[in-house]
Amino acid sequence: MLRRVVRQSKFRHVFGQAVRNDQCYDDIRVSRVTWDSSFCAVNPKFVAIIIEASGGGAFLVLPLTKTGRIDKVYPTVCGHTGPVLDIDWCPHNDLVIASGSEDCTVMVWQIPENGLETPLSEPVVVLEGHSKRVGIVSWHPTARNVLLSAGCDNQIIIWNVGTGQAMINLEDMHPDVIFSVSWSRNGSLLCTACKDKKVRVIDPRKKKVVTEKDKAHEGARPMRAIFLADGNIFTTGFSRMSERQLALWKSDNMDEPICVQEMDTSNGVLLPFYDPDTSVVYLCGKGDSSIRYFEITDEAPYVHYLSTFSTKEPQRGMGYMPKRGLDVNKCEIARFYKLHERKCEPIIMTVPRKSDLFQDDLYPDTAGPDPALEAEEWFSGKNGGPILISLKDGYVSTKNRDLKVVKTNVLETKPTTKSERLCVSVIVIIIIIMTIIAPLKTEFTKCFDRQSKRAQQQNKNIEHNTIKEISTATRNHD
């Protein structure tokens, strides 16, 4: 009996390739803020990049076709008063993006269909509830208008963006800074990694910790934890000897890991990007010049190393395209947007195939843009898995999709401009002045009438006296 030496996998020969220079986004001043987020968010329409900005925080929103050199005066999203730390596109509307900032606020923005033509400084809604900077924002995967934010005040707030209200506040579960938050596949649970070296699985609606693991990674540097499609948890972190590690855990019993692998001794935080359709995890280290990818299966050692894509330049951040934004005709299974110091470079991952037919083994039905639940349904306790779509004919985005909730949806209301607000202020001032003047005018009219009557009476008296005097003088003369 022959022993199989090489494990069979259709992803063993995944091929990574950077695009040509003319297809990159050049002359971008990528943010230098010291925070371990990806600094980039991508959807099938736009790429958003956090940039350096004077006098506050800003990020670029570029149509995917807007490649080449980006003009220094290209309009930005610039409503925050402090540096922007994290951004996330809404999975149910490709025109809506959320941002968290050092100014302790979360803002939700609506981008015009064809991109920005003027700077955007008026958010659709401002969500205020954190007392320290907001480092994480993440949309619910299946419920419309549900947004999570986590701040350096060690609390997690879940918002109903359609009403602008904070619905759930998890403030006593984390004693230290929260490094990462991940939703489960249907959005019923959260997985968090904290500076106290604990990984927690939380039921946010019941406000309780379902399970937790102390010292999931014993190193002091930041950890990351994400939910996988089967409910298991994948973590990255550092060992006691500062070696980078990855580990796989069962979410219902985290006493012992399913597997632990040590990688190298680099000090960059590993950012995991997970494809639930193919069970492939891509690890991008901040400051690294490579992307490692692993396949997760039910066979030991469970996390199988596939390959590494390497370049010369280190990465400052990384954006990951949703599956519906990929080119299925080229057998593209992932696309990254690598941030350099002054450039954003797309990197395409493909599986070489000779046939030009649709490869249904590479592209099972994937999560589409339609939400399974409304916000009120999720907050009331309902769960729903993602609504799947086929990529066989390629994904075609629906234009001008309206956001609908049971209550008044602030995302459907056009924000007022500064000039409109100035006009309203002037009108209000005029109304106040008229309100004050009206009684004064009435009193003045009454006073004027009294004075007129008095003057008329005096004139009559003078006229009467004059006639009387003339009559008396005439009689005396006769």
Side-chain angles (χ1 to χ4, degrees):
M1 181 177 176
L2 295 175
R3 185 166 60 91
R4 191 172 64 193
V5 177
V6 180
R7 188 183 69 89
Q8 294 295 319
S9 172
K10 54 180 170 283
F11 303 111
R12 277 185 57 228
H13 303 290
V14 170
F15 176 66
Q17 184 175 21
V19 301
R20 301 192 311 269
N21 282 337
D22 61 343
Q23 294 178 317
C24 296
Y25 308 86
D26 285 318
D27 207 14
I28 296 172
R29 297 162 297 148
V30 177
S31 175
R32 295 177 176 273
V33 67
T34 54
W35 185 254
D36 289 321
S37 71
S38 58
F39 291 169
C40 182
V42 193
N43 69 15
K45 285 180 178 290
F46 301 104
V47 53
I49 303 166
I50 302 175
I51 60 171
E52 284 286 304
S54 58
F59 58 94
L60 277 173
V61 175
L62 303 171
L64 294 183
T65 55
K66 178 69 177 175
T67 55
R69 183 180 177 277
I70 307 301
D71 200 307
K72 290 183 179 180
V73 295
Y74 191 87
T76 62
V77 180
C78 52
H80 285 286
T81 57
V84 177
L85 301 179
D86 196 20
I87 49 178
D88 192 33
W89 286 105
C90 176
H92 308 125
N93 190 325
D94 290 339
L95 303 179
V96 174
I97 187 170
S99 59
S101 167
E102 281 193 5
D103 63 10
C104 308
T105 65
V106 177
M107 294 185 180
V108 179
W109 311 84
Q110 188 125 15
I111 307 299
E113 181 77 33
N114 298 319
L116 296 177
E117 295 180 355
T118 58
L120 183 60
S121 59
E122 300 294 332
V124 178
V125 62
V126 179
L127 306 174
E128 297 177 306
H130 289 281
S131 59
K132 292 185 179 179
R133 61 182 182 170
V134 181
I136 299 171
V137 289
S138 178
W139 291 92
H140 193 285
T142 62
R144 190 197 308 267
N145 290 352
V146 177
L147 177 67
L148 174 150
S149 64
C152 291
D153 51 4
N154 308 336
Q155 65 176 335
I156 294 172
I157 300 177
I158 300 178
W159 309 83
N160 183 345
V161 175
T163 60
Q165 295 176 308
M167 305 297 290
I168 297 173
N169 196 327
L170 308 175
E171 54 186 347
D172 298 322
M173 294 183 177
H174 300 88
D176 215 325
V177 176
I178 301 166
F179 287 141
S180 74
V181 181
S182 171
W183 293 97
S184 61
R185 178 78 164 159
N186 67 354
S188 61
L189 298 173
L190 297 175
C191 175
T192 67
C194 181
K195 194 175 181 180
D196 66 355
K197 300 183 183 180
K198 284 187 178 182
V199 173
R200 295 171 174 85
V201 177
I202 299 170
D203 187 328
R205 289 169 294 189
K206 293 181 179 178
K207 296 186 176 181
K208 74 172 187 177
V209 177
V210 178
T211 183
E212 65 181 14
K213 174 61 179 176
D214 190 18
K215 294 184 179 179
H217 297 277
E218 295 189 355
R221 290 189 56 74
M223 294 189 297
R224 288 289 186 275
I226 58 172
F227 262 115
L228 304 183
D230 58 4
N232 290 340
I233 294 171
F234 182 87
T235 62
T236 64
F238 293 79
S239 69
R240 189 181 300 171
M241 303 301 292
S242 296
E243 295 174 307
R244 292 199 292 194
Q245 293 179 322
L246 58 84
L248 188 64
W249 312 78
K250 285 190 177 295
S251 59
D252 54 354
N253 183 7
M254 298 185 68
D255 293 338
E256 293 295 330
I258 299 173
C259 78
V260 178
Q261 294 184 19
E262 294 184 348
M263 296 175 56
D264 54 30
T265 55
S266 179
N267 61 358
V269 176
L270 287 169
L271 305 178
F273 297 93
Y274 173 62
D275 180 2
D277 303 327
T278 59
S279 294
V280 175
V281 173
Y282 303 86
L283 298 183
C284 309
K286 294 202 78 170
D288 289 4
S289 56
S290 62
I291 301 173
R292 295 179 176 87
Y293 29 107
F294 300 79
E295 186 178 4
I296 300 175
T297 68
D298 296 330
E299 302 174 1
Y302 305 105
V303 180
H304 305 271
Y305 171 75
L306 292 174
S307 186
T308 300
F309 170 79
S310 297
T311 56
K312 295 180 180 178
E313 296 292 328
Q315 53 224 18
R316 298 278 296 277
M318 192 72 72
Y320 179 63
M321 174 68 78
K323 205 65 173 289
R324 56 193 174 90
L326 303 180
D327 187 349
V328 298
N329 297 318
K330 296 180 180 179
C331 295
E332 183 181 7
I333 64 164
R335 189 190 310 159
F336 292 93
Y337 286 75
K338 175 182 174 180
L339 299 186
H340 300 246
E341 188 172 352
R342 302 279 296 187
K343 182 171 76 168
C344 175
E345 178 185 38
I347 296 171
I348 296 171
M349 301 286 184
T350 56
V351 176
R353 292 285 171 92
K354 294 181 179 179
S355 173
D356 292 333
L357 299 176
F358 178 73
Q359 307 293 319
D360 52 5
D361 61 326
L362 298 182
Y363 301 104
D365 289 354
T366 190
D370 295 324
L373 300 168
E374 297 295 339
E376 289 76 14
E377 292 178 307
W378 185 81
F379 285 115
S380 67
K382 291 185 180 180
N383 293 320
I387 297 176
L388 304 181
I389 60 172
S390 172
L391 297 178
K392 186 169 185 178
D393 299 319
Y395 169 71
V396 179
S397 81
T398 307
K399 292 186 178 179
N400 299 322
R401 237 180 2 259
D402 290 331
L403 291 145
K404 298 176 182 177
V405 292
V406 177
K407 296 181 181 179
T408 303
N409 187 353
V410 294
L411 292 181
E412 292 178 348
T413 307
K414 185 180 177 181
T416 56
T417 62
K418 290 182 178 179
S419 59
E420 289 172 342
R421 287 205 303 274
L422 180 62
C423 292
V424 171
S425 301
V426 171
I427 292 170
V428 169
I429 292 171
I430 291 172
I431 292 172
I432 292 172
I433 293 173
M434 294 298 291
T435 305
I436 296 171
I437 289 176
L440 295 176
K441 182 180 178 182
T442 304
E443 188 63 31
F444 177 78
T445 304
K446 290 180 180 178
C447 182
F448 181 76
D449 290 342
R450 287 197 297 270
Q451 292 290 345
S452 298
K453 289 179 181 179
R454 192 177 295 119
Q456 289 175 1
Q457 188 63 39
Q458 288 176 351
N459 289 337
K460 286 181 180 179
N461 292 338
I462 293 170
E463 186 178 350
H464 178 72
N465 293 335
T466 303
I467 293 172
K468 189 175 179 182
E469 289 174 0
I470 292 172
S471 300
T472 303
T474 303
R475 284 199 300 271
N476 292 337
H477 179 74
D478 293 340

